[in-house]
Amino acid sequence: MSKKTIAIIVEAIPLVSIVVFLASVFSAYDSPVMRIVTLVTSVLAFLGFVFFFIGRMLARGERIVTILGILDWFATLVTFQLYAIAIFSFGL
C-alpha cells in the first residue's frame, strides 16, 4: 500500500468514530456494550488532531489528505463541544 492510501485510512478513523459516537450518544438503546463503544469512539474522535498530524507526515501534498485533516479537526471540536455542553448542563 502506498503512503497516500495509508494516510487516507488513518485520517478516516476519526470521521467514522464521530458518526458512531453521535449515533450512540443520541440513541435510546443503552447497554454495557454501547457504553464501551461510546467511550472508545469518543476517544478516537477526540484524538482527531493526532490523526491529522500522522496523515500530514505520510502524505503531505495530497489534496484529499488535507481535506480529511480539516474534517479530523472538526471531529475533535465537535467532541469537545459536546462534552463542554454536558458539563455546563450538569453544573448549572
Side-chain angles (χ1 to χ4, degrees), residues 29-79:
Y29 184 70
D30 187 31
S31 71
V33 175
M34 284 299 288
R35 290 180 186 171
I36 292 171
V37 167
T38 304
L39 176 67
V40 170
T41 56
S42 68
V43 169
L44 287 175
F46 183 72
L47 292 176
F49 66 93
V50 174
F51 291 103
F52 166 76
F53 290 120
I54 293 171
R56 284 289 265 202
M57 287 186 336
L58 290 174
R60 184 173 194 102
E62 298 295 328
R63 185 176 186 146
I64 188 71
V65 174
T66 304
I67 293 169
L68 289 174
I70 292 168
L71 293 175
D72 287 344
W73 278 100
F74 282 133
T76 301
L77 291 174
V78 167
T79 307

Short mmCIF file of all heavy atoms in Angstrom, two decimals, residues 29-79:
data_model
loop_
_atom_site.label_atom_id
_atom_site.label_comp_id
_atom_site.label_asym_id
_atom_site.label_seq_id
_atom_site.Cartn_x
_atom_site.Cartn_y
_atom_site.Cartn_z
N TYR A 29 -31.06 3.25 22.88
CA TYR A 29 -30.55 1.95 23.32
C TYR A 29 -29.39 2.14 24.26
O TYR A 29 -28.47 2.90 23.99
CB TYR A 29 -30.13 1.14 22.09
CG TYR A 29 -29.69 -0.26 22.41
CD1 TYR A 29 -30.60 -1.21 22.83
CD2 TYR A 29 -28.36 -0.62 22.30
CE1 TYR A 29 -30.20 -2.49 23.12
CE2 TYR A 29 -27.94 -1.90 22.58
CZ TYR A 29 -28.87 -2.83 23.00
OH TYR A 29 -28.46 -4.10 23.30
N ASP A 30 -29.42 1.44 25.41
CA ASP A 30 -28.35 1.57 26.40
C ASP A 30 -28.00 0.19 26.93
O ASP A 30 -28.87 -0.57 27.35
CB ASP A 30 -28.80 2.48 27.54
CG ASP A 30 -27.67 2.77 28.50
OD1 ASP A 30 -26.51 2.81 28.06
OD2 ASP A 30 -27.95 2.95 29.70
N SER A 31 -26.73 -0.13 26.89
CA SER A 31 -26.23 -1.39 27.43
C SER A 31 -24.75 -1.20 27.77
O SER A 31 -24.15 -0.20 27.38
CB SER A 31 -26.40 -2.52 26.40
OG SER A 31 -25.50 -2.35 25.34
N PRO A 32 -24.17 -2.15 28.47
CA PRO A 32 -22.74 -2.02 28.77
C PRO A 32 -21.87 -2.01 27.51
O PRO A 32 -20.85 -1.33 27.46
CB PRO A 32 -22.44 -3.26 29.62
CG PRO A 32 -23.75 -3.63 30.22
CD PRO A 32 -24.78 -3.24 29.22
N VAL A 33 -22.28 -2.74 26.49
CA VAL A 33 -21.52 -2.76 25.24
C VAL A 33 -21.58 -1.39 24.57
O VAL A 33 -20.57 -0.88 24.06
CB VAL A 33 -22.05 -3.86 24.30
CG1 VAL A 33 -21.36 -3.80 22.95
CG2 VAL A 33 -21.87 -5.23 24.92
N MET A 34 -22.76 -0.77 24.56
CA MET A 34 -22.90 0.55 23.95
C MET A 34 -22.08 1.61 24.72
O MET A 34 -21.56 2.54 24.12
CB MET A 34 -24.36 0.98 23.90
CG MET A 34 -25.16 0.30 22.81
SD MET A 34 -24.52 0.62 21.17
CE MET A 34 -25.00 2.32 20.97
N ARG A 35 -21.97 1.44 26.01
CA ARG A 35 -21.15 2.37 26.79
C ARG A 35 -19.68 2.25 26.42
O ARG A 35 -18.97 3.26 26.33
CB ARG A 35 -21.35 2.13 28.28
CG ARG A 35 -22.72 2.54 28.73
CD ARG A 35 -22.93 2.31 30.19
NE ARG A 35 -24.32 2.59 30.53
CZ ARG A 35 -24.86 2.33 31.68
NH1 ARG A 35 -24.14 1.77 32.63
NH2 ARG A 35 -26.12 2.62 31.91
N ILE A 36 -19.22 1.03 26.20
CA ILE A 36 -17.83 0.83 25.78
C ILE A 36 -17.61 1.39 24.38
O ILE A 36 -16.59 2.04 24.11
CB ILE A 36 -17.46 -0.67 25.86
CG1 ILE A 36 -17.44 -1.11 27.32
CG2 ILE A 36 -16.11 -0.93 25.20
CD1 ILE A 36 -17.30 -2.60 27.51
N VAL A 37 -18.57 1.15 23.49
CA VAL A 37 -18.47 1.69 22.12
C VAL A 37 -18.43 3.21 22.16
O VAL A 37 -17.64 3.85 21.46
CB VAL A 37 -19.65 1.18 21.26
CG1 VAL A 37 -19.76 1.96 19.95
CG2 VAL A 37 -19.52 -0.30 21.00
N THR A 38 -19.27 3.81 22.99
CA THR A 38 -19.29 5.27 23.11
C THR A 38 -17.96 5.79 23.65
O THR A 38 -17.43 6.79 23.15
CB THR A 38 -20.44 5.71 24.03
OG1 THR A 38 -21.66 5.19 23.53
CG2 THR A 38 -20.53 7.22 24.13
N LEU A 39 -17.41 5.11 24.63
CA LEU A 39 -16.14 5.53 25.21
C LEU A 39 -15.01 5.45 24.18
O LEU A 39 -14.24 6.40 24.01
CB LEU A 39 -15.80 4.68 26.43
CG LEU A 39 -14.45 4.95 27.09
CD1 LEU A 39 -14.45 6.34 27.71
CD2 LEU A 39 -14.15 3.89 28.11
N VAL A 40 -14.91 4.33 23.49
CA VAL A 40 -13.83 4.15 22.52
C VAL A 40 -13.95 5.13 21.36
O VAL A 40 -12.97 5.75 20.95
CB VAL A 40 -13.81 2.68 22.02
CG1 VAL A 40 -12.86 2.51 20.85
CG2 VAL A 40 -13.42 1.74 23.15
N THR A 41 -15.16 5.28 20.83
CA THR A 41 -15.33 6.18 19.70
C THR A 41 -15.15 7.64 20.09
O THR A 41 -14.67 8.44 19.29
CB THR A 41 -16.69 5.98 19.02
OG1 THR A 41 -17.73 6.14 19.98
CG2 THR A 41 -16.78 4.63 18.36
N SER A 42 -15.51 8.00 21.32
CA SER A 42 -15.29 9.38 21.74
C SER A 42 -13.80 9.69 21.87
O SER A 42 -13.36 10.78 21.51
CB SER A 42 -16.01 9.68 23.05
OG SER A 42 -15.43 8.97 24.12
N VAL A 43 -13.03 8.74 22.36
CA VAL A 43 -11.59 8.95 22.46
C VAL A 43 -10.96 9.05 21.07
O VAL A 43 -10.14 9.94 20.81
CB VAL A 43 -10.93 7.81 23.28
CG1 VAL A 43 -9.42 7.86 23.18
CG2 VAL A 43 -11.36 7.89 24.73
N LEU A 44 -11.36 8.17 20.16
CA LEU A 44 -10.82 8.22 18.80
C LEU A 44 -11.22 9.51 18.08
O LEU A 44 -10.43 10.09 17.35
CB LEU A 44 -11.27 7.01 18.00
CG LEU A 44 -10.61 5.68 18.36
CD1 LEU A 44 -11.25 4.55 17.58
CD2 LEU A 44 -9.13 5.73 18.13
N ALA A 45 -12.45 9.96 18.29
CA ALA A 45 -12.90 11.20 17.66
C ALA A 45 -12.19 12.40 18.28
O ALA A 45 -11.84 13.35 17.58
CB ALA A 45 -14.40 11.35 17.79
N PHE A 46 -11.97 12.37 19.58
CA PHE A 46 -11.29 13.48 20.24
C PHE A 46 -9.83 13.57 19.80
O PHE A 46 -9.26 14.65 19.74
CB PHE A 46 -11.37 13.35 21.75
CG PHE A 46 -10.74 14.50 22.48
CD1 PHE A 46 -11.37 15.73 22.48
CD2 PHE A 46 -9.54 14.37 23.12
CE1 PHE A 46 -10.79 16.82 23.13
CE2 PHE A 46 -8.95 15.43 23.77
CZ PHE A 46 -9.58 16.67 23.78
N LEU A 47 -9.22 12.44 19.49
CA LEU A 47 -7.83 12.44 19.06
C LEU A 47 -7.68 12.65 17.56
O LEU A 47 -6.68 12.27 16.96
CB LEU A 47 -7.16 11.12 19.47
CG LEU A 47 -6.99 10.92 20.97
CD1 LEU A 47 -6.41 9.55 21.24
CD2 LEU A 47 -6.13 12.00 21.57
N GLY A 48 -8.65 13.30 16.95
CA GLY A 48 -8.59 13.58 15.52
C GLY A 48 -7.40 14.42 15.13
O GLY A 48 -6.83 14.26 14.04
N PHE A 49 -6.98 15.30 16.00
CA PHE A 49 -5.83 16.14 15.69
C PHE A 49 -4.55 15.31 15.59
O PHE A 49 -3.64 15.63 14.82
CB PHE A 49 -5.67 17.28 16.70
CG PHE A 49 -5.33 16.84 18.09
CD1 PHE A 49 -4.03 16.77 18.50
CD2 PHE A 49 -6.35 16.51 18.99
CE1 PHE A 49 -3.70 16.37 19.79
CE2 PHE A 49 -6.04 16.12 20.28
CZ PHE A 49 -4.72 16.04 20.68
N VAL A 50 -4.46 14.22 16.34
CA VAL A 50 -3.30 13.34 16.26
C VAL A 50 -3.28 12.64 14.90
O VAL A 50 -2.23 12.55 14.25
CB VAL A 50 -3.32 12.30 17.41
CG1 VAL A 50 -2.21 11.29 17.25
CG2 VAL A 50 -3.24 13.00 18.75
N PHE A 51 -4.45 12.17 14.47
CA PHE A 51 -4.54 11.53 13.16
C PHE A 51 -4.24 12.53 12.04
O PHE A 51 -3.72 12.16 10.99
CB PHE A 51 -5.91 10.90 12.97
CG PHE A 51 -6.14 9.71 13.87
CD1 PHE A 51 -6.93 9.82 15.00
CD2 PHE A 51 -5.57 8.49 13.58
CE1 PHE A 51 -7.14 8.74 15.82
CE2 PHE A 51 -5.77 7.40 14.39
CZ PHE A 51 -6.56 7.51 15.52
N PHE A 52 -4.56 13.79 12.27
CA PHE A 52 -4.23 14.85 11.30
C PHE A 52 -2.72 14.93 11.11
O PHE A 52 -2.23 14.98 9.98
CB PHE A 52 -4.78 16.19 11.80
CG PHE A 52 -4.22 17.38 11.09
CD1 PHE A 52 -4.66 17.71 9.82
CD2 PHE A 52 -3.26 18.18 11.69
CE1 PHE A 52 -4.14 18.83 9.16
CE2 PHE A 52 -2.74 19.28 11.05
CZ PHE A 52 -3.19 19.61 9.77
N PHE A 53 -1.97 14.94 12.20
CA PHE A 53 -0.52 15.05 12.10
C PHE A 53 0.09 13.79 11.49
O PHE A 53 1.06 13.88 10.72
CB PHE A 53 0.10 15.35 13.46
CG PHE A 53 -0.21 16.73 13.96
CD1 PHE A 53 -0.88 16.91 15.15
CD2 PHE A 53 0.16 17.84 13.22
CE1 PHE A 53 -1.17 18.19 15.61
CE2 PHE A 53 -0.13 19.12 13.67
CZ PHE A 53 -0.79 19.29 14.87
N ILE A 54 -0.46 12.64 11.80
CA ILE A 54 0.04 11.40 11.20
C ILE A 54 -0.19 11.40 9.70
O ILE A 54 0.70 11.04 8.92
CB ILE A 54 -0.62 10.18 11.87
CG1 ILE A 54 -0.18 10.06 13.32
CG2 ILE A 54 -0.28 8.89 11.11
CD1 ILE A 54 -0.94 9.02 14.12
N GLY A 55 -1.38 11.80 9.28
CA GLY A 55 -1.68 11.88 7.86
C GLY A 55 -0.81 12.88 7.14
O GLY A 55 -0.39 12.65 5.99
N ARG A 56 -0.53 14.00 7.79
CA ARG A 56 0.34 15.02 7.18
C ARG A 56 1.77 14.50 7.01
O ARG A 56 2.43 14.81 6.03
CB ARG A 56 0.40 16.28 8.04
CG ARG A 56 -0.80 17.16 7.99
CD ARG A 56 -0.86 17.83 6.68
NE ARG A 56 -0.23 19.14 6.75
CZ ARG A 56 -0.49 20.08 5.90
NH1 ARG A 56 -1.33 19.88 4.93
NH2 ARG A 56 0.11 21.24 6.00
N MET A 57 2.24 13.72 7.96
CA MET A 57 3.59 13.17 7.84
C MET A 57 3.66 12.14 6.71
O MET A 57 4.68 12.04 6.03
CB MET A 57 4.03 12.54 9.16
CG MET A 57 4.34 13.54 10.23
SD MET A 57 5.04 12.90 11.76
CE MET A 57 4.53 11.23 11.87
N LEU A 58 2.60 11.38 6.51
CA LEU A 58 2.63 10.33 5.50
C LEU A 58 2.47 10.88 4.08
O LEU A 58 3.18 10.47 3.17
CB LEU A 58 1.54 9.30 5.78
CG LEU A 58 1.76 8.42 7.01
CD1 LEU A 58 0.56 7.55 7.26
CD2 LEU A 58 3.00 7.57 6.82
N ALA A 59 1.51 11.77 3.87
CA ALA A 59 1.23 12.28 2.52
C ALA A 59 0.93 13.77 2.60
O ALA A 59 -0.23 14.18 2.63
CB ALA A 59 0.07 11.52 1.90
N ARG A 60 1.95 14.56 2.63
CA ARG A 60 1.79 15.98 2.89
C ARG A 60 1.09 16.74 1.76
O ARG A 60 0.24 17.57 2.00
CB ARG A 60 3.16 16.59 3.16
CG ARG A 60 3.06 18.05 3.53
CD ARG A 60 4.41 18.59 3.95
NE ARG A 60 4.20 19.86 4.61
CZ ARG A 60 4.23 20.03 5.91
NH1 ARG A 60 4.45 19.02 6.69
NH2 ARG A 60 4.03 21.22 6.43
N GLY A 61 1.43 16.49 0.53
CA GLY A 61 0.94 17.32 -0.56
C GLY A 61 -0.39 16.88 -1.16
O GLY A 61 -0.89 17.54 -2.06
N GLU A 62 -0.97 15.82 -0.69
CA GLU A 62 -2.20 15.30 -1.28
C GLU A 62 -3.41 16.13 -0.84
O GLU A 62 -3.56 16.45 0.34
CB GLU A 62 -2.41 13.84 -0.88
CG GLU A 62 -1.32 12.92 -1.38
CD GLU A 62 -1.28 12.83 -2.89
OE1 GLU A 62 -2.33 12.92 -3.54
OE2 GLU A 62 -0.17 12.65 -3.41
N ARG A 63 -4.26 16.44 -1.79
CA ARG A 63 -5.42 17.28 -1.51
C ARG A 63 -6.45 16.57 -0.63
O ARG A 63 -7.01 17.16 0.29
CB ARG A 63 -6.06 17.70 -2.82
CG ARG A 63 -7.18 18.66 -2.66
CD ARG A 63 -7.70 19.10 -3.99
NE ARG A 63 -8.69 20.14 -3.78
CZ ARG A 63 -8.87 21.14 -4.59
NH1 ARG A 63 -8.15 21.24 -5.67
NH2 ARG A 63 -9.79 22.04 -4.33
N ILE A 64 -6.70 15.29 -0.88
CA ILE A 64 -7.69 14.54 -0.10
C ILE A 64 -7.24 14.41 1.35
O ILE A 64 -8.06 14.47 2.28
CB ILE A 64 -7.97 13.16 -0.73
CG1 ILE A 64 -9.13 12.46 -0.03
CG2 ILE A 64 -6.75 12.28 -0.72
CD1 ILE A 64 -10.46 13.08 -0.30
N VAL A 65 -5.94 14.27 1.57
CA VAL A 65 -5.41 14.19 2.94
C VAL A 65 -5.61 15.51 3.66
O VAL A 65 -5.94 15.54 4.85
CB VAL A 65 -3.93 13.75 2.92
CG1 VAL A 65 -3.32 13.80 4.30
CG2 VAL A 65 -3.80 12.36 2.34
N THR A 66 -5.45 16.61 2.96
CA THR A 66 -5.67 17.93 3.57
C THR A 66 -7.14 18.12 3.95
O THR A 66 -7.45 18.60 5.05
CB THR A 66 -5.24 19.04 2.59
OG1 THR A 66 -3.89 18.83 2.21
CG2 THR A 66 -5.38 20.40 3.23
N ILE A 67 -8.04 17.72 3.06
CA ILE A 67 -9.47 17.85 3.34
C ILE A 67 -9.87 16.97 4.51
O ILE A 67 -10.60 17.39 5.42
CB ILE A 67 -10.30 17.52 2.08
CG1 ILE A 67 -10.06 18.58 1.02
CG2 ILE A 67 -11.78 17.41 2.41
CD1 ILE A 67 -10.60 18.23 -0.35
N LEU A 68 -9.40 15.73 4.52
CA LEU A 68 -9.70 14.83 5.64
C LEU A 68 -9.09 15.34 6.94
O LEU A 68 -9.66 15.16 8.02
CB LEU A 68 -9.21 13.42 5.33
CG LEU A 68 -10.00 12.65 4.28
CD1 LEU A 68 -9.31 11.33 3.96
CD2 LEU A 68 -11.42 12.42 4.71
N GLY A 69 -7.93 15.98 6.85
CA GLY A 69 -7.30 16.55 8.04
C GLY A 69 -8.14 17.66 8.66
O GLY A 69 -8.26 17.76 9.88
N ILE A 70 -8.72 18.49 7.81
CA ILE A 70 -9.61 19.55 8.31
C ILE A 70 -10.84 18.93 8.98
O ILE A 70 -11.27 19.38 10.05
CB ILE A 70 -10.00 20.49 7.16
CG1 ILE A 70 -8.78 21.28 6.69
CG2 ILE A 70 -11.11 21.45 7.58
CD1 ILE A 70 -8.98 22.03 5.41
N LEU A 71 -11.37 17.89 8.37
CA LEU A 71 -12.53 17.21 8.98
C LEU A 71 -12.15 16.52 10.28
O LEU A 71 -12.98 16.41 11.19
CB LEU A 71 -13.13 16.22 7.98
CG LEU A 71 -13.78 16.84 6.75
CD1 LEU A 71 -14.21 15.75 5.79
CD2 LEU A 71 -14.94 17.72 7.13
N ASP A 72 -10.90 16.06 10.39
CA ASP A 72 -10.43 15.48 11.66
C ASP A 72 -10.44 16.53 12.77
O ASP A 72 -10.80 16.24 13.91
CB ASP A 72 -9.03 14.91 11.50
CG ASP A 72 -9.00 13.64 10.69
OD1 ASP A 72 -10.07 13.04 10.51
OD2 ASP A 72 -7.91 13.25 10.25
N TRP A 73 -10.01 17.74 12.45
CA TRP A 73 -10.06 18.82 13.44
C TRP A 73 -11.50 19.11 13.86
O TRP A 73 -11.78 19.38 15.02
CB TRP A 73 -9.39 20.08 12.91
CG TRP A 73 -7.91 20.06 13.06
CD1 TRP A 73 -7.00 19.76 12.09
CD2 TRP A 73 -7.16 20.30 14.25
NE1 TRP A 73 -5.73 19.82 12.61
CE2 TRP A 73 -5.79 20.15 13.92
CE3 TRP A 73 -7.49 20.64 15.55
CZ2 TRP A 73 -4.77 20.32 14.86
CZ3 TRP A 73 -6.48 20.82 16.48
CH2 TRP A 73 -5.15 20.66 16.13
N PHE A 74 -12.43 19.06 12.89
CA PHE A 74 -13.84 19.27 13.23
C PHE A 74 -14.36 18.16 14.14
O PHE A 74 -15.18 18.42 15.02
CB PHE A 74 -14.70 19.38 11.97
CG PHE A 74 -14.62 20.71 11.30
CD1 PHE A 74 -14.44 20.80 9.93
CD2 PHE A 74 -14.70 21.89 12.02
CE1 PHE A 74 -14.35 22.03 9.30
CE2 PHE A 74 -14.61 23.13 11.40
CZ PHE A 74 -14.44 23.19 10.03
N ALA A 75 -13.91 16.93 13.93
CA ALA A 75 -14.31 15.83 14.80
C ALA A 75 -13.85 16.08 16.23
O ALA A 75 -14.59 15.85 17.19
CB ALA A 75 -13.75 14.50 14.28
N THR A 76 -12.63 16.60 16.36
CA THR A 76 -12.12 16.94 17.69
C THR A 76 -12.96 18.04 18.33
O THR A 76 -13.33 17.96 19.50
CB THR A 76 -10.65 17.38 17.59
OG1 THR A 76 -9.89 16.32 17.04
CG2 THR A 76 -10.10 17.74 18.96
N LEU A 77 -13.27 19.07 17.56
CA LEU A 77 -14.05 20.19 18.09
C LEU A 77 -15.47 19.78 18.47
O LEU A 77 -15.98 20.21 19.50
CB LEU A 77 -14.09 21.33 17.07
CG LEU A 77 -12.77 22.06 16.84
CD1 LEU A 77 -12.92 23.06 15.71
CD2 LEU A 77 -12.32 22.73 18.11
N VAL A 78 -16.10 18.96 17.66
CA VAL A 78 -17.46 18.50 17.97
C VAL A 78 -17.47 17.68 19.25
O VAL A 78 -18.35 17.85 20.11
CB VAL A 78 -18.05 17.70 16.79
CG1 VAL A 78 -19.31 16.97 17.19
CG2 VAL A 78 -18.33 18.62 15.62
N THR A 79 -16.51 16.80 19.40
CA THR A 79 -16.43 16.00 20.63
C THR A 79 -16.21 16.89 21.85
O THR A 79 -16.87 16.73 22.88
CB THR A 79 -15.28 14.99 20.52
OG1 THR A 79 -15.42 14.24 19.32
CG2 THR A 79 -15.28 14.03 21.70
#
